[in-house]
Amino acid sequence: MQQTREVWGSKLGFILAAAGSAIGLGNIWKFPYITGENGGASFVLVYLICIAVIGLPVLIAEILIGRTTQRNPVGAFYKLSHSKFWAAVGGMGVVAGFLILSFYAIIAGWSIGYIVEAINGNFFRWPEPVAAADHFNSLVTDLPWIFGYFAFFMVLTMIIVFSGVQKGIERASKIMMPILFILLIILMIRGLTLDGAAKGLDFLWNPDWSKITAGTVLLALGHAFFTLSLGMGAMLTYGSYMSEKDSIPGAALQIVILDTLIALIAGTAIFTSVFAVGLDPNAGPGLIFHTLPGVFTKMPGGYFFSILFFIALTIAALTSSISLLEVVVAYFVDELNWKRHNAAIILSAIIFSLGVPSVLSFNVLADFKIFGLDFFGLVDFLASNILLPLGGLFIAVFVAWVWGFDKVIPNLRKGAEKFIDHHPIMSGAWKIFLKYLSPVLIFLVFLYSIGILQDIFNLF
Ligand code: PHE
């Protein structure tokens, strides 16, 4: 089990890779549409509070478990607790990695397909939302199209993870993240300079307090987990390649700021554009694939910007998917002594097979429902709404109550001596948040996710 473990080449490499994991479909596809569905600015405000109060403390905890143990999630929990129960909690993360990637890569595949659509000028042939939605449906029911791009995206993910931590993940992140930032800033400037952009800004930035409900809070918290890649060991695994010379609180803060900034930049780009052309922001998951293509046809330079947009979406998805595959690969390499190359190929193939029923749920199996959800919806729900919050809850409880702060703080201090010694209030707040606030709030999200509280809240 003691083979030499890879490490990040530099602190910047770790930050870009971890920010790459965080910044993904969650920021560019999910955040804008749930903001649209939940009244805009009020949701954004609650989301920002959740990120600061729960997201950041849990992120620090998760990276710390990884860096201290230098193991995959299963090995990490076992090393610190010698308990099978906690090893199983790590195992839940590995399972979540399989499941999330199996549907994440499908949407990422559409994004690649939409780069091609954009280049072919197809958005101009179906500019109205209804026609664009029909066109979308004709694509996802075309089996070679949907399977082809899904497979293509999985191969890209596999190649990067196959190449290793430094030569694959770190190098890819260092190239792709700056490109992503530049593309999104260009798209934001395009949105802001359209006539009527102000309405979009208003929607995103002017909170209506009356719209904040318990449901909004819990939804925002759930999304905070997804967008920061928390609760399934991705940040733990990336943290396991981190040096003890670097500061975890510092790195975590930078990751959180980058992730939040990108969600807001993407939100600004999308809402200013949608409002400027007079369309409805409340389009649900179809916002990006049904509404946005039409939006591009109505703005100056739209052909060009539509291509940039789907390239940005694909890059964002790829730097996240590699972190999902890495969790699974790290487990098989550390615990079962697999070679990284074999693990990357075999596990990608398994994840692809796992995705087959999800792909079919957009076409052949569209009418096949379990608990009212199709297979894709079911896997998404199981992973995002059950495994992630539960994993986050366990991480907070583990660090605060099981591992214990007397052992935790000396490890956290490594690389952050000055910060911890000079800001006792900050580390004190971190302890309290992790010990009480995070577990209670996450538990509520979890109950809400599984619908127990949903009925109660709907009564009001
Ligand atoms: N954070 C990623 C996103 O926002 C999704 C993700 C979740 C990645 C969990 C890794 C682990 O798209």
Side-chain angles (χ1 to χ4, degrees):
M1 215 160 92
Q2 295 298 342
Q3 6 182 337
T4 42
R5 205 178 159 80
E6 286 195 82
V7 288
W8 301 111
S10 66
K11 185 178 168 201
L12 180 71
F14 166 68
I15 292 187
L16 288 180
S21 169
I23 298 165
L25 296 173
N27 303 58
I28 308 180
W29 167 67
K30 219 169 185 180
F31 172 74
Y33 92 71
I34 51 180
T35 302
E37 280 180 335
N38 290 281
S42 348
F43 176 81
V44 174
L45 190 78
V46 180
Y47 163 79
L48 291 177
I49 296 172
C50 290
I51 290 278
V53 174
I54 309 289
L56 183 61
V58 175
L59 178 59
I60 294 174
E62 198 177 320
I63 299 175
L64 183 65
I65 299 177
R67 190 185 66 174
T68 307
T69 56
Q70 311 207 334
R71 291 274 192 291
N72 66 92
V74 176
F77 277 103
Y78 191 76
K79 190 171 174 185
L80 292 173
S81 67
H82 293 288
S83 123
K84 290 228 168 73
F85 170 79
W86 288 104
V89 168
M92 215 170 71
V94 177
V95 171
F98 272 106
L99 293 177
I100 297 178
L101 189 50
S102 81
F103 71 83
Y104 199 86
I106 298 173
I107 307 178
W110 300 346
S111 179
I112 304 183
Y114 265 58
I115 300 177
V116 178
E117 292 298 300
I119 293 173
N120 289 340
N122 278 350
F123 299 154
F124 290 85
R125 296 171 61 198
W126 296 281
E128 298 313 319
V130 177
D134 283 345
H135 177 58
F136 173 79
N137 287 331
S138 74
L139 293 174
V140 297
T141 47
D142 176 0
L143 293 182
W145 189 88
I146 187 167
F147 271 115
Y149 285 116
F150 174 33
F152 183 53
F153 184 81
M154 278 309 300
V155 170
L156 292 179
T157 305
M158 191 269 288
I159 291 172
I160 298 174
V161 172
F162 178 97
S163 309
V165 174
Q166 263 190 41
K167 292 210 179 95
I169 299 174
E170 182 167 354
R171 193 160 59 173
S173 307
K174 277 186 165 163
I175 298 171
M176 289 195 286
M177 293 309 286
I179 299 177
L180 176 64
F181 294 142
I182 293 168
L183 290 180
L184 287 174
I185 288 170
I186 295 174
L187 289 160
M188 178 178 71
I189 294 173
R190 167 69 291 188
L192 286 172
T193 49
L194 291 170
D195 284 337
K199 271 182 274 166
L201 286 178
D202 206 46
F203 179 74
L204 200 57
W205 294 109
N206 263 341
D208 171 358
W209 296 95
S210 69
K211 288 218 176 102
I212 298 181
T213 61
T216 323
V217 177
L218 299 177
L219 187 72
L221 193 50
H223 184 64
F225 268 89
F226 187 80
T227 190
L228 289 176
S229 307
L230 292 179
M232 51 78 61
M235 290 299 182
L236 187 159
T237 305
Y238 274 15
S240 75
Y241 306 122
M242 190 184 177
S243 152
E244 300 206 322
K245 289 196 212 76
D246 297 332
S247 158
I248 294 180
L253 188 65
Q254 293 181 53
I255 296 163
V256 165
I257 290 175
L258 285 174
D259 183 72
T260 308
L261 217 56
I262 292 296
L264 295 175
I265 291 176
T268 305
I270 290 169
F271 287 120
T272 48
S273 309
V274 170
F275 276 94
V277 303
L279 286 173
D280 184 4
N282 184 12
L287 184 64
I288 295 293
F289 294 101
H290 302 172
T291 312
L292 213 54
V295 169
F296 286 119
T297 64
K298 297 187 179 67
M299 65 166 73
Y303 172 76
F304 173 66
F305 291 111
S306 68
I307 299 173
L308 295 192
F309 177 81
F310 286 101
I311 292 178
L313 186 64
T314 304
I315 292 180
L318 191 55
T319 54
S320 298
S321 64
I322 53 182
S323 71
L324 289 161
L325 183 58
E326 180 61 22
V327 171
V328 180
V329 165
Y331 169 72
F332 281 81
V333 170
D334 287 351
E335 303 298 316
L336 306 173
N337 277 318
W338 285 28
K339 296 258 179 308
R340 166 175 288 273
H341 287 182
N342 299 343
I345 298 173
I346 295 170
L347 297 168
S348 298
I350 295 176
I351 291 166
F352 180 80
S353 330
L354 208 62
V356 169
S358 292
V359 168
L360 296 180
S361 68
F362 290 98
N363 34 68
V364 214
L365 293 179
D367 295 326
F368 178 75
K369 299 260 157 68
I370 312 165
F371 304 126
L373 290 169
D374 58 21
F375 198 82
F376 178 96
L378 199 69
V379 179
D380 179 10
F381 179 80
L382 179 68
S384 317
N385 298 35
I386 297 187
L387 295 180
L388 292 190
L390 207 58
L393 175 69
F394 280 131
I395 286 166
V397 168
F398 182 80
V399 169
W401 297 91
V402 179
W403 190 6
F405 286 124
D406 52 332
K407 297 194 207 73
V408 166
I409 296 295
N411 283 300
L412 187 64
R413 242 185 119 252
K414 290 179 187 159
E417 293 83 0
K418 278 205 196 107
F419 179 78
I420 301 279
D421 296 346
H422 293 143
H423 301 280
I425 296 184
M426 297 295 243
S427 46
W430 179 68
K431 287 194 219 166
I432 292 173
F433 281 10
L434 214 58
K435 203 161 179 176
Y436 305 106
L437 203 62
S438 311
V440 171
L441 282 177
I442 302 168
F443 188 64
L444 286 177
V445 177
F446 178 64
L447 287 185
Y448 182 73
S449 297
I450 54 177
I452 295 180
L453 291 181
Q454 211 153 20
D455 299 332
I456 304 174
F457 290 132
N458 287 345
L459 293 177
F460 299 104

